[in-house]
Amino acid sequence: MDARRQDDIEVKPGIFIPAQDLSESFVRASGPGGQNVNKVATAVQLRFQLAANTTLPQDVKSRLARLAGSRLTLAGEILIQADRFRTQERNREDALERLLDLVRRAFERPKPRKATRPTKGSKERRLAAKKQRGDVKKMRGRVFD
C-alpha cells in the first residue's frame, strides 16, 4: 500500500483513492440555466484511472469494472458525467459522490449461489397446471358428432 497523502480521497476506513488517479474537466451542460447555460461550463466529467490504480485490491477492481459498465473506457478509466446542478461545485461533489458510491458497492462481495432442487410438491403442481392447461386447449378443437 502506498503512503496516504493529504489530498487522497477516503473510500472507506483504511482505503484511499490517490488524487493523481482522478482528473476532471468542465463542459457545457444541457438543460435549464437561462442565458448562463451558453456561457459557463458547469457540467463535470470526472475520470478515474482504474487500470493505473494501485490502492484497490484486484478483486474489487474487477467488480468495479463490471459495475461501471459503459462508463468504463477502452483506456481503462471510469468516466462519470455530472450535470444535474447549475453550479460547477455542486456537480463536482455529485460526480465524486457517485464515483465513491460505485467503489463502495464494488467492495461488497456477491453472495455465492447455492444450488437447489425443486421439491416434489412443486414438480407435481407444475405438471398438474400443465395438464389442466392442455385440457383447456383440447376443448378448443373442432366438435365432432
Side-chain angles (χ1 to χ4, degrees):
M1 274 300 254
D2 300 341
R4 182 188 181 282
R5 292 194 342 215
Q6 189 63 33
D7 52 352
D8 291 349
I9 294 130
E10 186 172 25
V11 177
K12 51 191 287 188
I15 305 291
F16 297 91
I17 292 178
Q20 68 261 18
D21 285 354
L22 298 174
S23 64
E24 58 187 22
S25 57
F26 299 98
V27 293
R28 288 191 182 148
S30 62
Q35 296 172 356
N36 203 36
V37 78
N38 296 323
K39 296 184 290 186
V40 182
T42 55
V44 178
Q45 286 185 337
L46 180 67
R47 293 176 183 274
F48 171 53
Q49 303 289 334
L50 181 63
N53 181 274
T54 58
T55 59
L56 297 177
Q58 193 57 43
D59 63 326
V60 172
K61 285 171 71 171
S62 62
R63 279 195 297 270
L64 183 56
R66 203 170 339 107
L67 282 172
S70 62
R71 291 174 287 202
L72 185 66
T73 65
L74 294 175
E77 54 188 22
I78 295 176
L79 174 67
I80 295 183
Q81 171 108 8
D83 57 1
R84 247 191 286 197
F85 302 103
R86 292 187 183 195
T87 63
Q88 252 186 22
E89 193 53 43
R90 294 272 308 272
N91 282 328
R92 287 177 76 187
E93 291 169 6
D94 182 42
L96 185 60
E97 193 52 48
R98 283 170 38 201
L99 174 68
L100 292 177
D101 181 50
L102 202 62
V103 174
R104 286 182 190 118
R105 283 194 356 234
F107 268 96
E108 296 169 9
R109 286 198 170 87
K111 206 165 68 173
R113 184 188 179 280
K114 293 178 186 169
T116 59
R117 287 180 158 174
T119 63
K120 185 178 179 184
S122 67
K123 284 182 187 176
E124 288 171 357
R125 284 189 298 273
R126 183 181 66 86
L127 292 174
K130 285 171 70 80
K131 175 81 174 125
Q132 184 179 7
R133 190 76 187 139
D135 291 343
V136 166
K137 289 184 175 186
K138 237 185 240 175
M139 296 301 286
R140 292 184 188 151
R142 236 174 228 206
V143 179
F144 296 104
D145 285 333

